[in-house]
Amino acid sequence: MKPVEIKEFGQLPDGQMVYSYLLKNKHGMMVEFISYGAVMRSCVLPGNQGLDVVLGFDRLEDYLASMNMENPPYFGSIVGPFAGRIQQGVFSLNNKVYQLSQNHGSHHLHGGIDSFSRALWIAKPQTAEQSITLKYVSTVGTDGYPGEITSTLTYSLTDDNELKMNYKAESTEDTIINVTQHHYWNLGGHDQSVENQSIQLNATHFLDKNTDNIPTGNFEQFCEKPFNDLTTGLRSGLDHTFVISDQSEIQASLSHPTNGWKMLVKSNQPAAHLFIGCGLPENLNGKQGVSYHATSGVCFEMQNFPDAPNHEHFPSCVLRKDEVYENNTIFHFVNNDHV
Ligand code: GAL
């Protein structure tokens, strides 16, 4: 098996180098990561002459600048320590009240200002397989989180066209955690619109939310049985957390109407947060001169419920200091016309 290809991608303002890592499988599927934000920068499917199905930027400068936008898109990055919003950035744990950074109006979003998405991860390609392990240690008190959190993230590309993500965290003190991935997928290619692609979910309910996009604690039903296509009405402003119905093997899927590609999402997480880039500004300059827009891609963020620390009936998001948190998510690409 060929070794993972490593290249310099760019330099951070403090002089540290960001590298890119290219994984390839035997069918010619290629996935590229960069060590800034543990970003997946491209995902090229086999057999279609470079069908790149994730949104991204060509230059490190664009990733850095995007994090200063009013609504940062978090293209391809790992999101944490806590994905989604936490009301007023406040939570209680072990009878103590913690104030997290308020980086989204008065609320906390996607881990705050010095979040995992902005961190420089240390990457180690594995020699025996098409796999890369990235590590990041966030210091005690970063964005108000208790404990030093050690994150270990392995992405592997198999010869069955599966992209496997295994994320693990340990903390030196009890804390809260909810880590996810923010890849924007488009099975027609990153220069297309996802409007005509169909989404299926192993869910019947989503979390009701207030006007600040924060869960109210109530659940809303959108269909009677899981794996219904999402209704057009819901898709037009899709930014919702869907409650996974059961631990069936497949939790979600995205299908292209004509090119045969389907992405199956398998995960150990209790929710799928689906986001169509409705907050993206029109004409955001992306890779290869492509202008991104509100329906350029859809994120399948496999995670716990946003604002979980403030709702006792939501699944626990507490990570005790002697425990290991894990998010295992697989994106499996299938196409009967190809491989
Ligand atoms: C999503 C979130 C959106 C928006 C986006 C980043 O996960 O649900 O409301 O914040 O990330 O632009």
Side-chain angles (χ1 to χ4, degrees):
M1 179 161 294
K2 281 196 180 153
V4 170
E5 262 178 53
I6 309 175
K7 280 192 191 150
E8 289 186 349
F9 184 64
Q11 231 175 352
L12 292 172
D14 66 4
Q16 294 189 85
M17 186 56 74
V18 173
Y19 292 92
S20 96
Y21 301 84
L22 185 68
L23 314 185
K24 280 185 197 168
N25 75 5
K26 72 172 185 195
H27 305 292
M29 180 170 168
M30 292 189 286
V31 190
E32 186 196 345
F33 298 94
I34 60 169
S35 46
Y36 174 77
V39 161
M40 180 163 68
R41 206 180 78 79
S42 66
C43 176
V44 176
L45 298 184
N48 280 62
Q49 309 236 323
L51 182 69
D52 184 352
V53 292
V54 291
L55 276 58
F57 295 116
D58 280 330
R59 303 175 318 148
L60 179 61
E61 292 83 329
D62 298 332
Y63 282 99
L64 300 177
S66 76
M67 290 308 290
N68 295 326
M69 286 168 49
E70 195 184 336
N71 285 309
Y74 296 84
F75 275 169
S77 71
I78 282 294
V79 175
F82 201 97
R85 288 157 181 82
I86 294 181
Q87 174 103 23
Q88 302 300 328
V90 174
F91 70 95
S92 305
L93 179 63
N94 302 334
N95 299 319
K96 196 174 158 191
V97 176
Y98 290 89
Q99 176 68 62
L100 300 172
S101 59
Q102 291 159 298
N103 62 322
H104 187 69
S106 59
H107 307 300
H108 180 78
L109 173 67
H110 287 344
I113 299 157
D114 292 316
S115 66
F116 292 174
S117 310
R118 286 184 183 219
L120 181 62
W121 294 63
I122 302 301
K124 256 199 203 156
Q126 307 297 326
T127 43
E129 49 179 351
Q130 289 296 298
S131 166
I132 178 176
T133 297
L134 300 116
K135 201 172 163 182
Y136 173 62
V137 180
S138 66
T139 51
V140 178
T142 304
D143 279 285
Y145 287 91
E148 177 184 275
I149 305 171
T150 301
S151 297
T152 315
L153 167 67
T154 299
Y155 272 113
S156 311
L157 177 62
T158 72
D159 281 335
D160 202 20
N161 297 331
E162 287 171 311
L163 180 62
K164 294 186 167 177
M165 186 198 95
N166 169 251
Y167 171 88
K168 284 188 184 141
E170 286 178 82
S171 172
T172 54
E173 285 173 47
D174 292 357
T175 189
I176 56 164
I177 195 134
N178 182 24
V179 171
T180 192
Q181 7 34 44
H182 218 274
H183 322 126
Y184 290 70
W185 299 104
N186 187 326
L187 291 179
H190 72 110
D191 54 349
Q192 302 292 309
S193 164
V194 288
E195 274 165 311
N196 60 353
Q197 295 172 34
S198 68
I199 295 173
Q200 291 199 314
L201 282 174
N202 177 9
T204 54
H205 288 74
F206 61 85
L207 302 188
D208 178 42
K209 52 184 188 165
N210 66 20
T211 47
D212 277 356
N213 245 335
I214 296 181
T216 60
N218 298 324
F219 299 91
E220 279 208 35
Q221 189 169 11
F222 70 101
C223 65
E224 284 195 355
K225 284 191 184 153
F227 298 111
N228 264 10
D229 266 351
L230 278 193
T231 62
T232 319
L234 194 54
R235 282 191 51 181
S236 58
L238 195 55
D239 190 4
H240 293 75
T241 308
F242 295 88
V243 181
I244 296 300
S245 295
D246 59 54
Q247 283 310 309
S248 316
E249 205 202 356
I250 295 168
Q251 309 298 354
S253 70
L254 176 69
S255 317
H256 191 275
T258 53
N259 72 9
W261 281 108
K262 192 163 182 160
M263 180 178 81
L264 308 173
V265 186
K266 309 169 189 183
S267 178
N268 66 345
Q269 294 299 299
H273 184 88
L274 261 59
F275 176 58
I276 289 191
C278 24
L280 293 183
E282 281 304 311
N283 306 320
L284 174 65
N285 281 326
K287 287 185 291 195
Q288 298 145 1
V290 172
S291 239
Y292 293 137
H293 49 82
T295 60
S296 283
V298 55
C299 299
F300 288 79
E301 304 169 44
M302 305 310 291
Q303 55 171 246
N304 198 339
F305 301 2
D307 203 33
N310 296 315
H311 302 272
E312 271 178 13
H313 61 299
F314 283 3
S316 169
C317 59
V318 175
L319 173 65
R320 301 281 170 202
K321 67 177 177 192
D322 50 358
E323 291 173 351
V324 179
Y325 162 93
E326 253 185 276
N327 179 329
N328 286 306
T329 298
I330 299 175
F331 299 95
H332 186 187
F333 298 88
V334 289
N335 189 332
N336 293 334
D337 302 340
H338 290 285
V339 277

